[in-house]
Amino acid sequence: MSLATDRGKLQSADKPTLYKRIRIDIERRILTGEWPPGHRIPFEHELMLRYGCSRMTVSKALSELAQADLIERRRKAGSFVRRPTFLSAVLKIADIRAEINALGRSYGYELIQCSRRTANATDRARLGAGKTGKVIAIACRHSADGVPFAIEDRLIDLDAVPEAAAADFATEPPGSWLLHHVPWTEAEHSISAIVADEQAAAALDIAIGAPCLVIDRHTWRSARPLTAVRLLYPGESHKLIARFKGGLEG
């Protein structure tokens, strides 16, 4: 549909409400999915020509859309349909795949690295297990609608979870597999914020120095360490909620 479709109506509207009509028209395109997340809104001078109005009118409409968190305005780059804000649980062990699907978005998974090795001192310290023999180290990336959602760095204690040796983590996300196979009795979350280094920025498709949310989680079964995982999220697109109950590892 052309932006000029409703131009006649817009031009005949009362001047005080013209910016509202422009805002409503753009809002409709966003909410119906005609303009999906990440879509660039036409530049202000393009909107001026198509709606037959002043820059001030266009700017006011865009400002209200930005205040409603429907678009984001980037200096020199223009305005873009805002990507959805994801909610990440603080005190809940959630299946990231199910979490993304519940948002009505398409889940994607990429295994970056998976290796089995004899635990070294760093592994034992991270797991909090003094006598761990073998571990599986996994690095993977989760995405929503093709956009990086989180990167995951996980250690699994094979002495505590021997069945993990036969799991196919090339196709099954480790959190999803653990959720359905490994019961746990105690969990701990440590939440922090960092800025993205070059590696994290590339993995999450964000700028170097952009804020990131970090959740470090440890789980135990009857005081026996099971797994330690670090989840790194783009900070600008995530919020935290707090809700917790016992269940299965994930």
Side-chain angles (χ1 to χ4, degrees):
M1 182 183 295
S2 169
L3 275 169
T5 302
D6 295 327
R7 183 173 176 178
K9 292 182 180 179
L10 292 169
Q11 287 179 317
S12 64
D14 293 337
K15 291 298 182 182
T17 62
L18 180 56
Y19 84 91
K20 291 185 178 180
R21 292 176 180 268
I22 296 172
R23 186 203 68 199
I24 291 170
D25 185 50
I26 295 175
E27 182 178 288
R28 175 182 57 79
R29 295 173 191 274
I30 294 171
L31 296 180
T32 60
E34 181 181 343
W35 287 354
H39 178 84
R40 185 182 68 77
I41 307 295
F43 289 112
E44 287 191 7
H45 69 272
E46 296 175 302
L47 294 174
M48 290 165 57
L49 289 173
R50 295 184 182 185
Y51 286 117
C53 63
S54 68
R55 181 179 293 274
M56 182 179 296
T57 300
V58 167
S59 182
K60 189 171 183 180
L62 294 178
S63 293
E64 287 201 357
L65 289 165
Q67 290 172 5
D69 286 334
L70 288 175
I71 69 171
E72 55 179 327
R73 306 181 77 179
R74 304 175 190 169
R75 187 177 181 184
K76 296 184 179 180
S79 299
F80 298 80
V81 178
R82 182 178 290 277
R83 298 191 186 280
T85 296
F86 302 111
L87 300 179
S88 298
V90 181
L91 297 176
K92 178 182 179 182
I93 295 181
D95 181 348
I96 293 179
R97 178 171 59 187
E99 182 181 0
I100 291 173
N101 289 335
L103 292 167
R105 290 168 172 79
S106 175
Y107 173 75
Y109 169 71
E110 177 188 358
L111 180 65
I112 299 171
Q113 181 269 340
C114 181
S115 62
R116 190 186 311 179
R117 63 174 183 251
T118 299
N120 55 38
T122 301
D123 296 334
R124 289 192 292 272
R126 183 178 173 192
L127 285 165
K131 297 182 179 180
T132 298
K134 298 284 186 178
V135 296
I136 294 180
I138 301 169
C140 56
R141 175 165 50 195
H142 308 271
S143 62
D145 290 339
V147 178
F149 183 88
I151 53 177
E152 175 178 342
D153 176 18
R154 183 185 291 270
L155 277 180
I156 300 175
D157 185 343
L158 275 176
D159 289 350
V161 192
E163 58 269 41
D168 182 8
F169 295 122
T171 58
E172 178 78 358
S176 300
W177 183 87
L178 287 161
L179 177 66
H180 294 97
H181 292 85
V182 182
W184 58 276
T185 57
E186 188 177 357
E188 175 185 272
H189 280 132
S190 175
I191 302 158
S192 58
I194 63 171
V195 295
D197 58 17
E198 185 175 355
Q199 183 178 3
L204 290 172
D205 193 21
I206 56 178
I208 296 173
C212 294
L213 171 70
V214 180
I215 297 180
D216 287 299
R217 181 169 68 237
H218 292 78
T219 49
W220 297 266
R221 182 172 58 233
S222 301
R224 178 72 181 270
L226 300 175
T227 180
V229 60
R230 167 167 280 205
L231 298 167
L232 185 64
Y233 300 85
E236 292 185 353
S237 60
H238 282 76
K239 293 180 181 179
L240 293 174
I241 57 174
R243 193 174 182 177
F244 185 73
K245 60 181 178 181
L248 297 175
E249 159 65 276

